[in-house]
Each structure stands twice: as C-alpha cells, then as structure tokens.
C-alpha cells in the first residue's frame, strides 16, 4: 500500500467519512495526491466516494468575440451614425435585425428601419444591454453558478445563441472508509506503521509494537553513479594473476630504450624494416642512450657480424627509441638472470607494459598499446615444454583448444604461433608468437641455458576475450565517464 | 610479412586441388591469408623469400608430399658462362656488386610471367629492403647486343639516354628518376645531390638504370623464351644468395640456366653457383630442443620433406641445405624445419618441471592498492597514453615548456604526438571534455608514469592526479581529497604552501611540500585553462608524486 493511501485510510478510520477540504487540511497532502489515493483505494473497495455534479457555464468561441459587443448593438450603432434610419435590404445580418427588433430598439415599416427612443438611448451609450452584461458576468467565472440560477431565461437565451456552453463536472463531496478498508488497515497493524526509521524510534523501542510500512519496491529512484577502476587495469590484473598462479615472477623495464636492447640484443638486423622511422618512435631528445654493458655490446656486435654478414654500427645501437615490444625487458633479464649460480632454475619471468608504434592514429590504430611477455630460463627446456606452457596459460585465460603453427621472429628458432579457431566468425585467431630464443642471443647475453619466450598484445587479447562489452580497442582509452561508469564486467 | 596470391587452377594443373592446398599449406608452415575458389593468398614471413615464388611453393609441396625427392646434384650448373659483365670502378661508391644469369628455354605463358615479376618485385622490396640492398632486373636476351655488358655509374644524370620501360620517349637518367613512377618510388636509393647513376649497358645501348627501371628495349613478354637477369646490390652475400635462389627457381621450372662472368677490378667471379651446403646438426641436440625422440622416426624422410638432402653418417645424420634457402644460418633453423616436417600438432606437450613461487611486482601492486583507495573516495579511473604534445601538456595548462626537461620524439606520423607527458592532469582535463554530456559531478583520477629529462638522461616517475568538475567544485573539496591521499600514503611532515602555478587561480593554489621537496600541487583550475580544454563548469585538480624516480633492476 502506498504511503498516501495509508495516510488517507488511517485518517478515515477515526473520522469514518470526510470532505476534501477537511482531508487537505489534516493530511498535509495536496488535493491531487488525495484524489489519487482515494481513487486507488476505491479500486480496492477500501473507500467509497460520494460525488456531487456541478454545472458550469463556459463561453464558446463566438461568445468570447461577442463580449465586446453583440451584432444587434453594432447594427443600431450604425443606424445611429446614419441618422437613425436605413433600408432593410442594406442589412446583411438577419440575426441582428431580429434581436434589435425583439429588444424594441427598432421599428420596421415598408422596408425602412428606424431607431426607437430606447434604441437611440442604447446606441448613444445611455442604457445598458442586459444580455451582454450577463455574458460578461459569466465570462469572469466568478458567480457563474449564481447567475445560472438567477437569470435562467437569459442564460438559456445565450445557450440558444451558441454563445455559452454548460459543462457538468463531478466533484468529490466526501470520502468514506468501507468495512473492507477497515479490515485492510487492521491487517497492516492498525495504521501505526513506521515510515522512515529514526534514531528516536530505534532508541525508544517503539518499533517493537508498530511494525514497518512496506514501501513500493518498484518506485522510481535516483540513479547512483559508481566510481570504477579502469577496465584495462582490471584486465591486466586478470592476466597477471594467471601468471602468478603459474609461478611466474613479475619484472619490469624502461619504455625509453636504446635500440641496442630493443633491437640489436634480439638479433634484429640493423637494416630491418621495423627499425625505420615509419614504424618506430625515435627520439630527438635524448637522441642516444649509452650502452653501459660493454661485454654484452661486444658479444652482440660479434653475433650480428657473424650472423648477418654486415658491418654492425654502434651508433645505430645507441639510438634512443620508445620500446616497440616488451621483449626488450626479457632481453635485459636474460642478460641479468640467465647465468647466475644462485637462481633456482627453471626461472619463470613475465612483464606487462606499454609499447609504442609510430602509427597514424585513427579509429583502428593506437600508437601506445600494452604488451605482455613471458620467458622461462632453464637447462633442458624444449619446444614441447613451451607448447605445454602456452596451452595451460591460454587455457586459464579462457581459450580452449589452442593450436600451434610455425611462424617466424628474428629472435626465436624454432618459432611458433598459438591460435584458436573462432567458430562464430569461421576464422583462426592468433593469440601469441613465441619460440626458443636463438642460441646466438643467449650466448651473447652470456649463457648456454635455454630460454623459452612468448608474448602478445593486451588489447588484442581483451578483444578476443570479449570482455567489458568492448567493440574496439579505442573505446576504453577515450575515458568517457559515462562509458566507464556503465561498462560491462570482466567476464571471460 | 608479404601477402602473395596465386590462382588455384595453376596448382590444380600440377595435381594440387583446393582442398589439398588448404591442408598442405599450413602443414608446410605457410600461413593462408585467404582462399576463394579462384585464388589462394599466403602470408610469407620475411625469412622465406623463396616462398614468394610460385615455383618455390610448388617445390616445397612436391618435396613435402614426396612427389620429388631432393638430391644434391639437382641445382649444379654444368653450362659454361655465356656472358661477361665488366664492372666499372665508379660503381664502388654507390652499388658495388652485380650478379647475372642467362635463362634459356623458359616458358612464360599463362600466369608465369606475372608470378615471376611479382616474385622479383616483392623479393627486392622485402629481402632487398626496397631495392636499397638488392634489386633484380629481367631482360629479353634476344634484345641484348653481344655478350659483353658494362656495369657502370654515371656522374651526371644528363649524358646518357634511354627509353624507360612503359614510356614512349627517350629520357636522361635524372629525368627517368623524376618522371617515372618507379623513379619516384626507388629514386631514394641513389642518395642526394652529387649522386652517381648506376647503369647496365650492352655494346650499343643502356639496358637499365639501376635499381630504378629497365629499358623498354629489353621488355620481357609472355612469348620471351630466353632471359638475362641482373642482380645488383650493396652486399655480395645478398646478391649471391638471390642469384642462386633465382637459378634454382628457373631450373625447377624446367628451364636451362647459364652462368655469367663478372669482372671486378680485382678479379673475376662466376655467378650463380647454387649448391647444397652442409649444416652440422647434432641429432641429440635436435631432440633436446624439440622434446621429441626424433631417432625413433625417419629423420632422413623428415628432412627430405622440407627439401633437405640428408644422409646417415655412421651413427649421425648429415644435413645439406638447398641453395634457395637463404634463411638457414645454422643448426637451429634446420631443427625448426624438422619440427615443421614432424608437425607441431604431433609434438606431445610436456610440463616444465621444477617449481618456483610466483611474485608480483611491488610497484604495480602499490598502484593497484592506491587505485582501489581512489575508487573509495569516489573517483573513477582513467588510463591515458604517455604520448602527447606541447600544446596539451604545456600550453593549454598555461605552463612553460623547457626543452631540456622533457623527452621529445623525432618524427611522428601523428601531429598530436611529439613528446612524452610530464604530467597527468592535462589528459584528465581532456577526459572531462570527452565526458561533458555525462551527469555531474565528474570525478576522475589517473595513476601513471610521467617522463622527464635530468642531465640528458630519461627519468620515469609515478604520479597520481585527480580532477573534480561540477557547479560547486572549490578549493576546499580538492584540499580535503588530497588530505586523505596524503594520510593514505603515510607521507611524513607534509604541509601546504601557497604556490604559483599558472594552471590554477592565483591565491587558490597550493603546493604540497614534504621537507625540502615539492611533491604535489592542487587548486582551482584557471578559467583560461578550462576554456582551452573546452570545459564549462568549475574544476579543481591535484597532482602528486608517488615515486620520484623508478630505478629498474636492469
């Protein structure tokens, strides 16, 4: 039962029956609210409503124009100006002629119209026209009801002339509680229900005998706007946790890198197309980053000279870039951790971070994306080990039936690509590229151990995982508050 | 990656139906990009230029299915050289090396010529680094006068003239560079002013402006039966590889290849010389790399399928790499081919043994915890790119840029990218603008990396920034939020001091000072800043340093 209904019913319980004015005064509710409650309760047979029919007159459109002057008044006005007489044939408005005659304002004789004395007085403004005064009285609204009963004949004339209309209105005289209403109230606990709970009610213990008024649970409520974490953070954490579950240690490295760690250490030839300006962000300040690990520098030089049979230039290796992949972090850690005595091999490492491509930014391309990279450093690691790890890892991320196929990366041999078949689109979707880090590289980094490696794009994975209701990788980075508030959950 | 398309009917006539191709191509390691009833498109990785070639793909399918068994003598050229190229000393500075071959009895009908041109073009674009390192020219042998060619380089581009391929008129070298499409695409290889123009001539005329365009005179058509091929470049290894690869392709297609003598100032060379070469592979090492007991399988058969010649040698196996495989550097590459031959799907997954505890990165966890705290005080998280530009980072914030303090990017494809951000607030202001039509209040934050330069060395820090935009946003609100963040971070001895930062209204701006260090700033954003970012309601903001400098373990 709505709060308004309950209030009304509770009042009527004492009063039995009450008029609108009384209710308005004692309920503290507006007339519309009372009427709504009464109608609603009547629908439930809890109250009966006694109505009175009232009649009201309202002016018609024609009546409103005639407020300024009736046609018969206009007629005698014209006659008055014309010297008090004129020809019947010259008068177009027959109605005005007949009313002027009925009022005794004119006489007609042999086609000639003449103003009478009374007519002259009215035309000269010396007398008043009762019918019009009645119309004016009705139009003001006030006392319309009285006029209706006082000057019945006049009103009827106005009705006949189509100047006023009578409208009937049903008005509530009183509202009375029914037996059913009393029972209903009884069932609710006698009407002494608690609305808003307050400190007083709680402390006094009055709630123990009162009971709580139920609320309309489907009523409109104000919206709450949640503050939320960014979906990319949520997704990266989701991926990180899978790694941590598999016993991987998280590492990180700088995004501002020398070409040495981003390219050369990974056996990427110095004239490789990805090292051109159009793919990689080179920096103008700082232009170069020094390579402090001189031992690694010399070994990498040898690796390139022997492998690519080209002159290797230290100057190019020093060029500062924004890293193009997180494999640069892996390179650092292969160097740092693959040849120690006290590490527990196999050592599992991963990193997640921003990578950069010199792209023309549009609806499909971003220049900064996130990547993840995993490596396992160990003594007797095989391609079969990598395949097992990838199947487990992507299985945890929600991709079943991951398959593998050959691929190529300059820094792995053998190389592979993990993919799955997307039945909805009838297409194979690539998940990751990886392989065994080339011996040339591990050797240059100072170890004979084997390194398994793989990596991929966070955003691509996010799209393939169909989380957050994402339609494009652009959407989360617009940071539109409306989208961030309303976006879907991470559900894989 | 290069995408190459072939018509299926060309394979069908050689015994490979569409269905068979769909099954075989991925098995041999060639990714199918798309397949219709008429055409198959493959994605060729940069290590396998031999697969840009129709014949190359066919050859691999033939060996993989056992239709042809590789043998060591297959590509030995017994013919004597039929042409001589004299190399002038002027080429030394521009493009020092040339190789050539003569092909007779070649059939270029159907799609063959189209495939050949597509192959050599893509080969020179990828392996040849857009012709800078390697370029290939195809000529009609009949149109060449005599058998003595000159490979030279002209100092001026005006002296010599020829009719470039697909042109109707005589042009000078410099004009051909300027006014032909190939000239505009590959002219860059010649370098700037004062360049020399490499060319190839027979006894009478110019055959090609290298590596730009051939002469119309030696145009090759579907009816051409004899070819001369020139290969030029900056690295001898690369052009020798290319010449061998091309020779193998022509020989496999059934044509006859004749070598060419190249006379350098310091001695003569005969090209091409395709030959299988031995790569030492320890079978035990291969097994340990793949995790497969190859010894229990027919290793020789596996090698043959990938085009290798292999033979048992005592208890070991000898592997000989075919001459068209320019990517095989050592045993690792052979081992990969054995894996492909064996089938990646047939490798039984084996778990990595040994257990190590996982460990999360501390800084990342700190950021995570802090982000959750910010949600708790009603701010929604934004993540913005580190890439920005001076206008957004400084100018819109009414802040001054000093060039030696931030990291700038040399050559960006996108105008809005020219530097790494030094602050988080500007992007948050952009986010507020993007969120303009959403219900107020707008409260957002970001925890992220900002970058700077100190003594020319890059420096990476972690900041947190927050903004609040709504009709009643004021200094007290942001001070109160910052108070709570400072309590959360447990920063010691922190005080607010009056500060001047042009991004904020003077007198309604404070710096956060911890000891001697300024660790943050907060205040009411200046109306001009709001105007520049397109905001219409009062906005307050703050930015604090969480980690002053990240020291990586690397």
């Amino acid at each position: 039962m709505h709060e308004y209904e309950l209030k009304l019913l509770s009042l009527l319980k004492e009063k039995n029956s009450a008029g609108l004015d009384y209710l308005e005064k004692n309920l503290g509710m507006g007339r519309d609210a009372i009427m709504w409650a009464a109608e609603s309760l009547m629908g439930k047979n809890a109250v009966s409503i006694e109505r009175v029919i009232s009649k009201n007159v309202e002016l018609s459109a024609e009546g409103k124009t005639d407020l300024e002057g009736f046609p018969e008044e206009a007629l005698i006005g014209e006659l008055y100006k014309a010297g008090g007489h004129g020809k019947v044939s010259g008068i177009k408005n027959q109605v005005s002629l007949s009313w002027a005659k009925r009022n005794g304002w004119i006489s007609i004789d042999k086609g000639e119209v003449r103003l009478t004395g009374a007519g002259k007085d009215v035309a000269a403004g010396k007398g008043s026209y009762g019918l019009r005064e009645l119309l004016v009285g009705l139009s003001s609204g006030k006392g319309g009801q009285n006029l209706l009963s006082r000057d019945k004949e006049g009103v009827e004339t106005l009705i006949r002339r189509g100047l006023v209309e009578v409208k009937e209105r049903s008005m509530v005289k009183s509202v009375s509680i029914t037996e059913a209403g009393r029972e209903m109230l009884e069932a609710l606990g006698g009407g002494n229900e608690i609305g808003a709970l307050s400190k007083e009610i709680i402390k006094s213990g009055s709630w123990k005998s009162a009971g709580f008024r139920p609320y309309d649970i489907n009523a409109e409520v104000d919206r709450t706007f949640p503050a939320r974490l960014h979906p990319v953070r949520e997704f990266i954490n989701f991926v990180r946790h899978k790694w941590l579950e598999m016993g991987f240690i998280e590492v990180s490295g700088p995004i501002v890198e020398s070409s040495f760690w981003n390219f050369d250490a990974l056996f990427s030839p110095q004239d490789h197309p990805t090292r051109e300006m159009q793919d990689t962000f080179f920096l103008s300040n700082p232009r170069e980053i020094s390579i402090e690990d001189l031992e690694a520098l010399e070994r990498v030089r040898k690796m390139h000279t022997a492998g690519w049979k080209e002159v290797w230039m230290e100057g190019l290796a020093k060029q500062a870039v924004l890293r193009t992949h997180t494999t640069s972090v892996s390179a650092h850690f292969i160097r740092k951790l693959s040849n120690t005595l006290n590490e527990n091999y196999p050592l599992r490492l991963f990193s997640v971070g921003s990578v950069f491509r010199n792209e023309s930014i549009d609806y499909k391309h971003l220049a900064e994306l996130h990547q993840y990279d995993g490596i396992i450093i160990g003594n007797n690691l095989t391609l079969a080990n990598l395949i097992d790890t990838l199947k487990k890892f992507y299985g945890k991320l929600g991709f079943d039936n991951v398959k593998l196929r050959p691929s190529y990366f300059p820094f792995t041999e053998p190389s592979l690509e993990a993919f799955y078949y997307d039945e909805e689109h009838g297409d194979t979707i690539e998940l990751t590229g990886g392989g065994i880090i080339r011996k040339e590289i591990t050797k240059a980094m100072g170890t004979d151990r084997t390194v398994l490696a793989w990596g991929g794009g966070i955003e691509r994975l996010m799209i393939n995982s169909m989380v957050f209701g994402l339609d494009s990788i652009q959407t989360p980075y617009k940071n539109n508050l409306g989208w961030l508030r309303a976006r879907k959950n991470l559900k894989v | 990656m290069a995408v190459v398309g072939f018509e299926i009917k060309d394979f069908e006539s050689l015994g490979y139906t569409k269905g068979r191709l769909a099954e075989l191509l991925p098995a041999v390691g060639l990714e199918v990009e798309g397949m219709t009833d008429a055409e198959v498109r493959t994605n060729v990785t940069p290590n396998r230029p031999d697969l840009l070639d129709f014949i190359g793909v066919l050859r691999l399918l033939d060996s993989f299915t056992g239709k042809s068994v590789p043998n060591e003598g297959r590509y030995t050229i017994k013919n004597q050289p039929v042409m001589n190229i004299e190399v002038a000393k002027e080429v030394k500075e521009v493009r020092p090396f040339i190789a050539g071959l003569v092909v007779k009895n070649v059939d270029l009908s159907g799609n063959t010529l189209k495939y050949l041109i597509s192959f050599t073009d893509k080969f020179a674009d990828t392996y040849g680094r857009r012709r800078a390192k390697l370029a290939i020219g195809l000529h009609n042998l009949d149109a060449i006068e005599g058998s003595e060619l000159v490979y030279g380089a002209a100092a001026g581009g005006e002296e010599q003239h020829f009719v470039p391929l697909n042109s109707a008129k005589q042009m000078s070298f410099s004009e051909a560079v300027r006014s032909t499409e190939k000239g505009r695409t590959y002219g860059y290889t010649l370098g700037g002013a004062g360049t020399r123009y490499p060319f190839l001539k027979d006894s009478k005329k110019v055959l090609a402006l290298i590596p730009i365009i051939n002469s119309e005179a030696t145009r090759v058509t579907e009816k051409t039966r004899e070819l001369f091929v020139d290969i030029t470049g900056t690295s001898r290894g690369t052009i020798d590889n290319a010449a061998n690869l091309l020779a193998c392709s022509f020989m496999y297609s059934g044509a006859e290849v004749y070598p060419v003598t190249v006379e350098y100032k310091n001695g003569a060379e005969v090209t091409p010389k395709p030959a299988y070469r031995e790569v030492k592979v320890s079978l035990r090492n291969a097994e340990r790399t793949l995790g497969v007991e190859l010894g229990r399988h027919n290793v020789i058969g596996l090698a043959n399928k990938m085009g290798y010649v292999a033979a048992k040698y005592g208890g070991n196996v000898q592997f000989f790499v075919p001459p068209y495989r320019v990517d095989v550097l050592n045993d690792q590459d052979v081992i990969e081919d054995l894996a492909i031959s064996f089938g990646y799907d047939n490798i039984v997954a084996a778990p990595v043994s040994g257990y190590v505890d996982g460990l999360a990165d501390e800084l990342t966890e700190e950021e995570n915890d802090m982000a959750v705290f910010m949600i708790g005080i009603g701010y929604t998280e934004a993540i913005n790119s580190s890439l920005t530009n001076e206008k957004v980072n400084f100018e819109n914030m009414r802040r001054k840029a000093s060039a030696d303090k931030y990291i700038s990017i040399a050559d960006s494809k996108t105008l809005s990218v020219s530097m790494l951000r030094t602050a988080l607030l500007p992007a948050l202001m952009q986010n507020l603008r993007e969120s303009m039509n959403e219900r107020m209040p707008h409260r957002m934050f970001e925890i992220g990396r900002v970058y700077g330069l100190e003594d020319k060395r890059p420096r990476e820090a972690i900041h947190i920034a927050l903004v609040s935009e709504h009709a009643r946003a004021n200094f007290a609100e942001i001070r109160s939020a910052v108070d709570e963040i400072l309590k959360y971070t447990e920063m010691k001895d922190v005080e607010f001091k009056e500060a001047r930062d042009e991004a904020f209204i003077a007198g309604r701006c404070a710096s956060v000072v911890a000891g001697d260090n300024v660790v943050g700033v907060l205040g009411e954003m200046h109306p001009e800043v709001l105007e520049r970012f397109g905001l219409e309601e009062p906005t307050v903001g703050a930015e604090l340093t969480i980690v002053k400098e990240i020291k990586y373990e690397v």
Side-chain angles (χ1 to χ4, degrees):
Chain A
M1 189 178 285
H2 189 270
E3 187 187 342
Y4 289 173
E5 294 174 83
L6 192 75
K7 272 186 166 175
L8 176 59
L9 211 53
S10 303
L11 187 86
L12 290 176
K13 184 185 153 201
E14 310 300 331
K15 201 66 179 121
N16 204 26
S17 175
L20 268 185
D21 289 341
Y22 179 87
L23 290 173
E24 197 174 355
K25 215 158 134 196
N26 290 282
L27 283 173
M29 286 158 54
R31 220 162 245 264
D32 287 343
I34 296 169
M35 278 317 298
W36 174 84
E39 299 277 1
S40 172
L41 285 170
M42 193 173 77
K44 300 171 189 167
N45 293 323
V47 300
S48 61
I49 299 175
E50 191 190 346
R51 293 170 199 273
V52 285
I53 307 295
S54 69
K55 285 185 179 173
N56 265 342
V57 279
E58 280 172 17
L59 268 61
S60 68
E62 200 186 340
K64 281 175 189 160
T65 14
D66 283 4
L67 276 175
E68 296 302 317
F70 279 40
E72 53 268 36
E73 287 178 289
L75 171 67
I76 59 169
E78 272 163 33
L79 284 173
Y80 186 70
K81 271 188 245 166
H85 58 89
K87 289 213 181 308
V88 174
S89 57
I91 297 159
K92 295 275 176 304
N93 192 331
Q94 291 302 308
V95 179
S96 65
L97 198 66
S98 91
W99 275 100
K101 187 152 186 282
R102 192 186 295 187
N103 290 341
W105 295 344
I106 56 168
S107 63
I108 300 172
D109 188 33
K110 290 174 191 152
E112 187 79 3
V113 189
R114 251 171 217 292
L115 280 179
T116 61
K120 276 181 189 161
D121 285 350
V122 175
K126 284 177 193 158
S128 63
Y129 186 21
L131 207 55
R132 184 149 69 89
E133 274 169 12
L134 180 60
L135 187 70
V136 172
L138 291 172
S139 79
S140 73
K142 281 178 199 153
Q145 212 66 27
N146 291 340
L147 287 170
L148 197 61
S149 46
R150 209 173 56 209
D151 192 351
K152 249 184 178 164
E153 199 185 333
V155 172
E156 267 162 26
T157 305
L158 290 176
I159 292 169
R160 259 203 321 278
R161 286 185 69 172
L163 301 181
V164 298
E165 290 154 354
V166 176
K167 294 212 166 145
E168 286 189 353
R169 231 173 84 188
S170 151
M171 292 196 18
V172 173
K173 190 182 170 202
S174 64
V175 184
S176 312
I177 190 164
T178 63
E179 241 357 87
R182 283 183 192 282
E183 281 166 24
M184 211 179 273
L185 203 55
E186 202 61 40
L188 286 173
N192 299 321
E193 288 182 305
I194 296 165
L197 189 58
S198 66
K199 185 173 166 188
E200 284 71 30
I201 298 171
I202 298 166
K203 285 189 96 176
S204 67
S206 66
W207 57 271
K208 288 174 186 160
S209 57
F212 293 90
R213 176 163 44 77
Y215 289 157
D216 178 1
I217 55 161
N218 289 315
E220 285 275 316
V221 295
D222 283 343
R223 259 188 81 188
T224 298
F225 291 101
R228 299 184 78 177
L229 287 176
H230 197 274
V232 173
R233 177 182 299 281
E234 284 187 13
F235 192 76
I236 287 177
N237 281 337
F238 167 71
V239 177
R240 289 174 64 242
H241 288 148
K242 300 304 167 199
W243 250 307
L244 295 169
E245 283 169 17
M246 289 175 71
F248 280 70
I249 294 166
E250 186 172 17
V251 294
S252 62
I255 66 154
V256 180
E257 272 285 13
S258 60
S259 292
F260 181 82
W261 287 107
N262 193 69
F263 295 123
D264 295 286
L266 293 163
F267 203 40
S268 169
Q270 289 199 318
D271 66 349
H272 197 272
T274 56
R275 294 180 71 152
E276 286 180 18
M277 282 278 195
Q278 53 259 43
D279 293 308
T280 301
F281 282 120
F282 285 85
L283 303 182
S284 51
N285 196 13
R287 216 168 262 285
E288 290 193 341
I289 291 179
S290 58
I291 304 150
E292 278 153 25
D293 187 342
L294 294 178
E295 191 185 48
L297 180 100
E298 282 318 309
R299 284 178 174 164
V300 166
R301 183 202 300 280
K302 269 184 209 144
M303 158 173 90
H304 277 259
T305 320
W308 299 123
K309 312 221 168 11
E310 303 267 352
V311 179
W312 185 79
M313 285 177 274
E314 197 179 320
L316 292 180
K318 279 184 182 167
Q319 287 182 331
V321 298
L322 298 183
R323 71 178 173 208
T324 60
H325 49 191
T326 40
T327 318
S328 59
V329 182
S330 299
H332 279 294
F333 280 91
I334 294 171
R335 172 69 176 147
K336 188 181 153 73
L337 296 178
S338 64
N339 194 21
T340 64
L341 292 171
N342 46 9
E343 288 297 344
N344 235 339
Y345 295 101
L347 191 58
R348 301 157 167 91
L349 305 174
F350 81 95
S351 68
V352 184
S354 288
V355 297
F356 301 83
R357 298 281 155 88
N358 194 354
E359 290 272 13
S360 309
I361 302 171
D362 58 28
Y363 72 100
K364 251 164 100 174
H365 298 95
L366 290 168
E368 179 176 354
L369 289 162
H370 292 84
Q371 240 180 38
Y372 56 94
D373 227 67
I375 51 174
I376 307 177
I377 305 169
N379 290 315
N380 292 304
L381 298 172
T382 65
L383 197 63
N385 288 149
L386 179 61
I387 290 172
D388 182 74
T389 309
L390 292 183
K391 285 190 167 173
K392 278 185 185 142
F393 178 68
Y394 288 101
K396 277 172 176 284
L397 288 170
F399 300 97
D400 301 326
N401 300 320
V402 169
K403 288 195 155 65
L404 301 130
R405 62 186 173 205
S407 189
Y408 171 77
F409 308 99
F411 43 89
T412 50
E413 194 74 43
S415 305
L416 53 71
E417 208 170 80
F419 68 99
Y420 68 96
Y421 185 73
D422 176 9
E423 290 186 2
E424 202 186 317
H425 299 98
D427 202 0
T428 58
I429 309 281
E430 184 193 334
L431 284 169
T432 183
I436 301 179
I437 297 285
R438 287 196 79 106
K439 290 286 170 212
E440 290 88 341
I441 297 171
T442 42
K443 223 168 232 144
M445 295 295 110
T447 184
D448 286 330
R449 293 200 164 90
T450 307
V451 181
L452 309 178
W454 78 98
I458 286 284
E459 284 79 6
R460 188 108 303 276
L461 194 61
M462 218 155 73
I463 294 282
N464 291 339
S465 302
M466 293 186 286
V467 290
F468 309 123
L470 269 190
D471 52 351
S472 103
I473 53 168
Q474 244 75 0
T475 312
Y477 295 110
K478 285 185 182 145
N479 293 304
N480 176 290
L481 201 49
W483 188 83
L484 291 173
R485 283 164 169 170
R487 64 157 174 92
K488 289 190 181 143
N489 270 330
L490 191 162
K491 263 188 219 137
V492 177
Chain B
M1 290 254 205
V3 176
V4 188
F6 302 116
E7 281 188 48
I8 300 223
K9 69 171 167 52
D10 293 324
F11 282 110
E12 261 166 358
S13 65
L14 295 160
Y16 299 99
T17 60
K18 186 190 165 199
R20 194 88 176 100
L21 285 176
E23 178 192 321
L24 279 173
L25 292 175
V28 301
L30 197 49
E31 191 192 328
V32 177
E33 232 261 336
M35 199 179 223
T36 64
D37 283 339
E39 194 201 36
V40 57
R41 279 175 302 119
T42 62
N43 231 333
V44 182
T45 52
N47 59 323
R48 294 298 301 270
D50 56 308
L51 298 180
L52 296 167
D53 177 18
F54 177 81
I55 301 294
V57 175
L58 179 70
R59 182 174 50 207
L60 181 54
L61 294 179
D62 285 351
S63 64
F64 197 81
T65 54
K67 220 173 180 180
S68 82
V69 179
N71 76 76
E72 228 180 315
R74 183 78 171 82
Y75 301 108
T76 309
I77 298 176
K78 295 192 187 92
N79 299 321
Q80 290 305 304
V82 293
M83 200 167 265
N84 198 53
I85 303 173
E86 188 195 331
V87 181
K89 69 174 188 320
E90 289 79 16
V91 297
K92 206 172 171 191
E93 258 85 77
V94 270
R95 201 172 179 86
F97 303 108
I98 187 165
L101 53 132
V102 166
V103 189
K104 294 189 178 173
N105 206 12
V106 71
D107 177 6
L108 297 177
S109 61
N111 281 324
T112 314
L113 179 60
K114 197 178 88 184
Y115 290 157
L116 179 61
I117 291 172
S118 153
F119 163 46
T120 51
D121 275 352
K122 290 200 163 92
F123 191 19
D125 265 346
T126 54
Y127 191 73
R129 309 288 191 243
R130 286 176 56 232
R131 298 195 185 177
K133 196 174 177 183
L134 170 87
I136 300 163
L138 302 171
H139 305 269
N140 179 357
L141 185 68
D142 281 348
I144 296 175
E145 311 258 352
S147 59
E148 298 288 330
L149 307 183
V150 175
Y151 175 45
E158 303 303 326
E159 293 135 37
Q160 312 210 45
H161 292 76
F162 72 122
V163 180
L165 201 59
N166 298 323
S167 294
K169 61 169 187 131
Q170 286 265 338
M171 290 184 199
S172 68
F173 287 171
S174 57
E175 195 182 351
V177 171
R178 277 196 313 272
S179 58
T180 65
E181 196 201 320
K182 296 280 180 201
R184 286 187 290 270
T185 311
Y186 299 109
Y188 84 98
T189 57
L190 298 178
T195 187
R196 286 177 187 274
Y197 296 81
F199 64 85
L200 191 65
K201 276 180 93 168
D202 66 11
S203 58
K204 296 225 169 93
K205 60 183 178 295
V206 171
L207 303 182
L209 169 60
I210 286 172
I212 317 286
I213 194 163
N214 279 356
S215 155
E216 177 67 32
T218 60
R219 170 189 284 279
V220 176
T221 71
E222 290 174 16
K223 296 198 180 81
T224 306
R225 300 287 293 171
E226 297 187 339
L227 292 173
F228 166 70
V229 184
D230 74 76
I231 300 135
T232 56
T234 53
S235 143
R236 180 172 283 179
T238 306
I239 65 158
D240 284 348
N241 279 343
N244 290 340
L245 196 160
L246 283 165
C248 292
S249 175
F250 285 119
M251 288 165 91
Y252 198 83
S253 75
E256 292 165 56
V257 172
Y258 292 79
V260 168
T261 308
V262 180
E263 279 180 35
Y264 293 101
K265 290 295 157 212
N266 55 356
E269 294 260 334
V270 174
T271 68
K273 279 188 201 156
Y276 277 81
R277 64 203 150 94
E278 188 182 356
V279 168
K280 292 226 180 319
V281 181
S282 141
L283 199 57
R284 195 171 129 70
N285 183 28
E287 288 182 331
R288 276 170 51 164
T289 302
L290 301 180
V292 175
E293 284 184 50
L294 288 172
R296 302 168 57 143
H297 301 273
N298 175 6
V299 182
I300 292 175
L302 289 176
N304 287 161
K305 278 171 79 176
M306 298 306 286
Y308 293 82
V309 171
K312 279 237 157 65
Y313 180 77
N316 231 322
V317 183
Q318 275 183 305
F319 291 90
F320 297 90
V321 187
Y324 53 83
R325 284 298 298 276
V326 297
D327 60 307
V328 176
L329 299 178
N330 53 39
D331 60 338
Q332 300 169 83
D333 307 284
V334 180
I335 292 169
E336 179 180 72
D337 275 331
L338 290 175
I340 294 171
S341 186
F342 183 73
Y344 279 32
D345 282 343
N346 297 326
I347 299 175
V348 181
V352 177
S353 58
Y355 175 78
V356 181
D357 288 325
L359 187 65
D361 175 59
E362 255 176 61
L363 280 181
T364 308
E365 290 299 278
E366 260 179 49
E367 285 181 31
N368 276 333
D369 292 348
M370 190 148 196
V372 171
F373 174 80
M374 292 304 294
I375 300 301
I377 64 169
Y379 285 76
T380 289
E381 187 180 26
I383 293 184
N384 288 291
S385 174
S386 301
L387 301 169
T388 185
N389 58 68
E390 282 82 355
K391 184 168 190 297
V392 171
N393 195 78
F394 299 115
E395 201 184 314
N396 285 0
M397 295 292 282
R398 309 204 326 150
R399 286 169 171 165
K400 294 263 177 300
S402 88
D404 57 341
K405 291 276 186 223
Y406 66 91
I407 295 171
S408 50
I409 288 161
D411 195 0
S412 168
K413 271 188 196 166
T414 307
L415 280 176
S416 60
V417 170
S418 59
M419 62 174 286
L420 289 183
R421 63 181 177 188
T422 62
L424 302 177
L425 271 178
L428 284 176
M429 298 296 282
Q430 289 180 310
N431 298 156
L432 289 178
R433 165 75 193 187
E434 163 72 30
S435 309
M436 219 172 162
N437 298 323
E438 303 304 326
R439 278 270 286 275
M440 300 260 174
H442 294 169
R443 293 197 177 100
M444 299 181 90
F445 80 98
E446 178 165 10
I447 299 177
R449 310 291 163 104
V450 297
Y451 303 86
L453 274 175
E454 217 170 77
D455 301 331
K456 294 179 180 170
R457 294 170 75 95
R459 209 179 51 112
E460 188 174 344
I462 301 180
H463 279 193
I464 181 170
L466 50 152
V467 288
S468 174
E469 180 195 17
H470 57 101
R472 287 189 300 278
N474 61 21
F475 183 82
E477 177 186 337
I478 197 73
R479 240 285 311 273
S480 161
V482 171
D483 276 344
E484 291 312 310
I485 296 170
L486 291 172
K487 271 185 232 163
Y488 173 86
T489 59
E490 298 180 6
M491 228 179 265
K492 298 272 185 298
D493 305 320
V494 193
E495 51 183 339
F496 294 105
K497 285 193 175 158
E498 270 178 42
R500 271 197 82 85
D501 179 330
E502 295 301 318
F504 302 93
I505 297 171
R508 300 183 187 184
C509 168
S511 57
V512 186
V513 180
D516 294 335
N517 297 319
V518 175
V519 295
V521 64
L522 63 147
E524 294 187 8
M525 304 306 302
H526 196 284
E528 197 171 284
V529 172
L530 299 183
E531 211 174 82
R532 287 178 190 178
F533 282 103
L535 301 185
E536 291 173 352
E537 297 281 351
T539 303
V540 292
E543 179 150 358
L544 305 170
T545 304
I546 301 301
V547 177
K548 198 179 169 198
E549 182 170 7
I550 300 175
K551 306 267 191 211
Y552 286 107
E553 279 186 67
V554 295

